[in-house]
Amino acid sequence: MKKSTKKTFLFSFSIIVILSITFFTTGCVSWWQDWNAPKTMLQKRKLIESSLVLLHNKNNYIPLQNLSKDRKAVVSIAKKSFSVFESTINLYADFTTVHIAPSEDSLKLAADFQSLDNFNEIVFLIGKNEKQDSISSFIARQIAVLASAKPVSVVVFENRNFIERNQNELLITNALLFCPVYNSISEELSAQLICGGVAAHGILENEILPSFRQETGIFTKKNRLKYTIPEEVGIKSQDLQLIDTLVLEAMNAKAMPSAQVLVAVKGNVIYQKAYGFHTYDSVTKAEKSDIYDLASVTKILASTAAYMAIYDQNRLPLDSTLSYFLPFFEGTNKDTLVLKDILTHQAQLTPFIDFGHKETRNHKVYPREIFRTQKEKGFETQLSDNLFIKTDYYKENMLKIIGDSKLLPTKEYKYSDLGFVLAPEIIERLVQQEFSNFLQTHFYKPLSAPTLTFNPLEKFSRSRIVPTERDSLFRNTLVWGNVHDEAAAMRGGVSGHAGLFGNANDVAKILQLFLNGGSYGETTFFKPTTIAEFTRCQFCEDGNRRGLGFDKPLLEWSPNGNTAKDASALSYGHFGFTGTMVWVDPATEMIFVFLSNRVYPTRESKMLMNLNTRTRIQQVIYDAMKN
């Protein structure tokens, strides 16, 4: 036996022995349960993670950097597809999955590879040894041809012969990852390593494939969320089971038909589930990929994020007046309102203006001719499937209504949407770019968070979007894929106070960006000092708990308050009218995301608030961390 083959055999054998020892030391009684117990599972995950070897990484290609690049593909070349790898990598970015079955028909194989020309970036997955080396060599040559024209990385599971026999072709690629053990865990962790959720640990001496020998091995850093089990951060899985109980309690009480819950601790997603059905008819099962109307969570994930980016460039004077940013308000009672007061809800703005209630349509400000039941020239702003409003109605009428509205008598904390309704106007004047485009180019695309979007029907099928409410007040239809908030709808679905849609996984990415102090992946979005300024309590001495855009815990905790009792004073987040809550706690490095459609079938349902489901779940997480 060759020396290299002996080393390869010994390495694989050592992993098997270690796993076997782990298996037998968990106890002879109930061995199957012990083998799959969380503690043992953590040991298996760590062993397999440490066995992943990055053999080649041209120009630090791994972790993948520009995940927002269009037309990415995962191509599996094996008897069956690698479904776990494919589902895991799609937590990080959208990849098209392609399966090529190895074949002795070289013409068919060549045609299969030629069909990949339209992709801009490809990750190849190679399975176990194929019977004929000629097929293996042909596949390697085809991969090399593609790699000479576009970024290509290769993940090989167990198939050492493929690497040893085709090293020259594989060195043309951007990266080569070897997984000596093939199972669902190695699929999952290798996908995370490719995208930066897991670090490559390197090896002191390459005893796997001597042809790739090097002095230190290849290391990479973790720079994105990792998806793992609670035990990895010292939390027992069983201590989080009460989350299921509380969600089911709420659903049984008809507080909501569906929900998503995500928990991340120290950059690790340790809990991610979807519950229920889209509606109470139990037809469409809720999935983790479903998209929800985030409602007022828009205030921090859109408006505040944009404000922070501008502030980071020293172009947002927080003590300047509203008329400084928007000359339209000169001479009105809004003229001297200060931006800092607007962002902390103490600018004396009225809490709410009903821009779209049916009963107001006959009012002189809302003549019936501003609405159409179908899209026409001059009436392109869609409110629902069968209702359109006059184009630019917001700029012609809603701005004037806000300008004419009365101010509250005293300057004190009073939550109001109006300051954030105006946010897109302010931001667009400062950045000279349309509000939603700015957010996409500066945040959502670099984060590879595709579901964070306004007007999701322009990008996603309705079946993936969770319905919100059967609106009997204004649109007289099921609101499904259009923004629930009437004022945001009248702005064409794009506003600073509501309108953003997304799923929990993509929401967690921008929250982790906040928790990281302004960076995520390979990108720095703003300085840590900017995050610190916007998330601190600005006027605690005056009894106002708010940060700049962000909500903060009550100054004196209450059982019916906005956070769990153990939420730290450093924590921040926001609630949404549709039944959403997002919260970040730097003290424990914890992220909590709760999405639901509690307004289905009607906004009159208050059960989710009455049960305090969201804050009770949050306390479960704190209790689990203490245990």
Side-chain angles (χ1 to χ4, degrees):
M1 185 181 289
K2 293 181 180 179
K3 185 178 180 181
S4 62
T5 305
K6 287 182 179 179
K7 288 181 177 180
T8 299
F9 173 77
L10 289 172
F11 182 84
S12 299
F13 182 73
S14 65
I15 292 177
I16 294 170
V17 169
I18 293 170
L19 289 174
S20 299
I21 292 171
T22 303
F23 173 77
F24 286 109
T25 55
T26 55
C28 297
V29 180
S30 302
W31 57 267
W32 178 252
Q33 290 88 339
D34 288 343
W35 179 239
N36 290 280
K39 184 177 180 180
T40 309
M41 182 62 69
L42 177 63
Q43 293 174 326
K44 289 193 289 186
R45 292 179 67 90
K46 286 184 175 181
L47 283 168
I48 292 172
E49 182 178 332
S50 65
S51 76
L52 304 178
V53 182
L54 190 59
L55 296 169
H56 171 57
N57 195 23
K58 186 190 297 182
N59 299 323
N60 298 316
Y61 180 71
I62 299 299
L64 295 178
Q65 297 180 21
N66 185 10
L67 287 179
S68 63
K69 186 183 296 182
D70 293 330
R71 301 200 305 277
K72 301 181 296 295
V74 171
V75 181
S76 59
I77 303 178
K79 292 180 180 179
K80 62 178 182 179
S81 63
F82 295 84
S83 58
V84 175
F85 185 101
E86 293 164 355
S87 61
T88 302
I89 203 168
N90 275 286
L91 293 170
Y92 293 95
D94 286 337
F95 283 80
T96 300
T97 58
V98 179
H99 180 224
I100 296 178
S103 170
E104 296 181 16
D105 186 344
S106 59
L107 291 178
K108 181 182 183 304
L109 268 178
D112 288 339
F113 274 92
Q114 191 173 3
S115 69
L116 303 175
D117 286 344
N118 291 329
F119 292 106
N120 293 327
E121 187 169 19
I122 302 175
V123 179
F124 282 100
L125 308 179
I126 308 295
K128 295 181 181 180
N129 291 325
E130 302 303 332
K131 292 182 179 180
Q132 296 191 27
D133 292 331
S134 59
I135 298 175
S136 173
S137 298
F138 184 85
I139 289 171
R141 289 195 298 270
Q142 294 296 316
I143 290 174
V145 169
L146 285 168
S148 65
K150 65 186 66 180
V152 167
S153 53
V154 180
V155 183
V156 179
F157 295 92
E158 291 190 3
N159 194 342
R160 296 166 180 78
N161 288 337
F162 181 83
I163 298 177
E164 290 176 339
R165 293 178 180 275
N166 303 291
Q167 57 182 295
N168 292 333
E169 288 81 4
L170 293 175
L171 285 171
I172 297 174
T173 67
N174 294 76
L176 173 63
L177 176 63
F178 179 58
C179 307
V181 176
Y182 170 63
N183 55 29
S184 60
I185 299 175
S186 65
E187 280 193 59
E188 176 194 337
L189 292 174
S190 60
Q192 296 199 50
L193 190 151
I194 291 288
C195 294
V198 166
H201 301 289
I203 49 176
L204 293 178
E205 183 180 359
N206 190 349
E207 297 183 353
I208 304 171
L209 297 159
S211 56
F212 284 87
R213 184 182 299 279
Q214 49 199 327
E215 292 183 0
T216 58
I218 298 174
F219 291 79
T220 62
K221 292 183 178 180
K222 175 186 181 300
N223 63 3
R224 293 187 176 93
L225 285 168
K226 180 179 184 178
Y227 299 84
T228 185
I229 59 177
E231 281 70 17
E232 181 147 343
V233 294
I235 294 175
K236 296 178 182 177
S237 294
Q238 65 189 42
D239 289 342
L240 295 177
Q241 291 177 359
L242 187 54
I243 295 176
D244 290 353
T245 303
L246 293 175
V247 173
L248 293 175
E249 173 194 67
M251 290 196 298
N252 290 335
K254 301 294 184 183
M256 63 205 177
S258 70
Q260 288 178 5
V261 177
L262 182 147
V263 180
V265 177
K266 298 180 180 178
N268 300 276
V269 176
I270 60 169
Y271 192 96
Q272 186 179 15
K273 285 189 179 183
Y275 300 87
F277 294 83
H278 282 199
T279 61
Y280 289 115
D281 59 15
S282 300
V283 172
T284 305
K285 190 176 184 298
E287 304 289 348
K288 289 185 287 187
S289 59
D290 287 340
I291 299 168
Y292 285 79
D293 183 334
L294 302 178
S296 283
V297 172
T298 302
K299 290 181 173 70
I300 63 171
L301 301 190
S303 296
T304 303
Y307 277 135
M308 285 194 289
I310 301 168
Y311 178 85
D312 205 52
Q313 300 171 358
N314 297 316
R315 295 192 295 123
L316 188 74
L318 293 171
D319 292 325
S320 293
T321 63
L322 183 59
S323 60
Y324 167 83
F325 296 105
L326 299 177
F328 174 88
F329 289 99
E330 288 182 0
T332 72
N333 60 359
K334 315 296 183 307
D335 190 333
T336 59
L337 299 185
V338 174
L339 180 60
K340 191 172 186 178
D341 290 333
I342 292 173
L343 294 178
T344 52
H345 298 274
Q346 62 173 32
Q348 299 174 255
L349 291 169
T350 186
F352 175 73
I353 294 177
D354 194 348
F355 293 105
H357 195 286
K358 183 189 250 183
E359 294 176 1
T360 67
R361 289 190 189 177
N362 291 323
H363 190 276
K364 64 180 179 180
V365 180
Y366 295 101
R368 288 186 178 273
E369 57 265 25
I370 68 172
F371 293 100
R372 292 288 187 273
T373 57
Q374 59 185 12
K375 191 174 184 178
E376 303 177 12
K377 183 178 180 180
F379 294 83
E380 289 91 0
T381 303
Q382 186 172 4
L383 303 180
S384 64
D385 289 344
N386 300 307
L387 187 62
F388 297 80
I389 195 171
K390 188 177 179 182
T391 308
D392 291 331
Y393 178 76
Y394 166 74
K395 291 184 178 180
E396 295 176 5
N397 296 83
M398 292 176 68
L399 272 176
K400 185 177 185 303
I401 294 171
I402 294 172
D404 291 342
S405 64
K406 294 181 179 179
L407 291 176
L408 299 177
T410 57
K411 180 181 176 180
E412 60 184 4
Y413 169 65
K414 191 70 174 179
Y415 185 85
S416 173
D417 278 342
L418 295 190
F420 287 86
V421 172
L422 299 173
E425 301 295 317
I426 296 173
I427 291 162
E428 287 173 358
R429 285 179 63 88
L430 292 171
V431 301
Q432 294 298 298
Q433 187 178 357
E434 196 272 330
F435 181 59
S436 62
N437 288 340
F438 177 80
L439 291 166
Q440 287 294 336
T441 58
H442 283 75
F443 293 103
Y444 309 150
K445 284 187 176 181
L447 286 168
S448 189
T451 66
L452 291 181
T453 185
F454 297 94
N455 294 317
L457 288 172
E458 296 176 0
K459 300 180 181 179
F460 301 98
S461 66
R462 195 186 297 268
S463 62
R464 191 174 168 185
I465 304 168
V466 178
T468 45
E469 183 190 20
R470 293 192 177 279
D471 183 1
S472 60
L473 297 176
F474 178 34
R475 285 161 282 195
N476 296 308
T477 188
L478 174 62
V479 180
W480 187 5
N482 298 112
V483 60
H484 177 262
D485 182 271
E486 289 88 350
M490 297 176 81
R491 280 187 51 94
V494 180
S495 187
H497 73 293
L500 194 65
F501 285 71
N503 63 29
N505 188 58
D506 284 346
V507 168
K509 294 173 185 176
I510 192 166
L511 297 182
Q512 189 65 45
L513 155 66
F514 295 156
L515 186 55
N516 289 347
S519 64
Y520 188 82
E522 74 279 7
T523 305
T524 298
F525 294 85
F526 22 65
K527 301 169 188 173
T529 52
T530 297
I531 294 282
E533 176 62 23
F534 273 72
T535 59
R536 74 175 179 88
C537 181
Q538 296 288 320
F539 298 103
C540 283
E541 66 279 4
D542 299 325
N544 182 351
R545 71 176 189 265
R546 307 292 291 215
L548 295 171
F550 291 96
D551 197 4
K552 299 280 291 177
L554 295 179
L555 299 179
E556 292 187 13
W557 182 79
S558 165
N560 296 316
N562 64 338
T563 66
K565 185 175 183 180
D566 285 348
S568 79
L570 295 173
S571 69
Y572 53 86
H574 216 285
F575 282 73
F577 185 78
T578 52
T580 57
M581 176 187 179
V582 303
W583 212 265
V584 177
D585 195 339
T588 53
E589 298 181 69
M590 186 260 282
I591 287 170
F592 172 51
V593 181
F594 183 99
L595 307 182
S596 76
N597 54 337
R598 72 99 192 159
V599 294
Y600 185 90
T602 170
R603 71 186 69 191
E604 298 305 316
S605 172
K606 302 290 191 287
M607 187 58 67
L608 186 65
M609 290 77 82
N610 295 340
L611 291 171
N612 292 325
T613 300
R614 291 166 285 188
T615 54
R616 288 166 68 199
I617 291 175
Q618 190 183 34
Q619 186 59 51
V620 168
I621 303 164
Y622 283 111
D623 290 341
M625 286 190 283
K626 287 186 290 187
N627 293 338

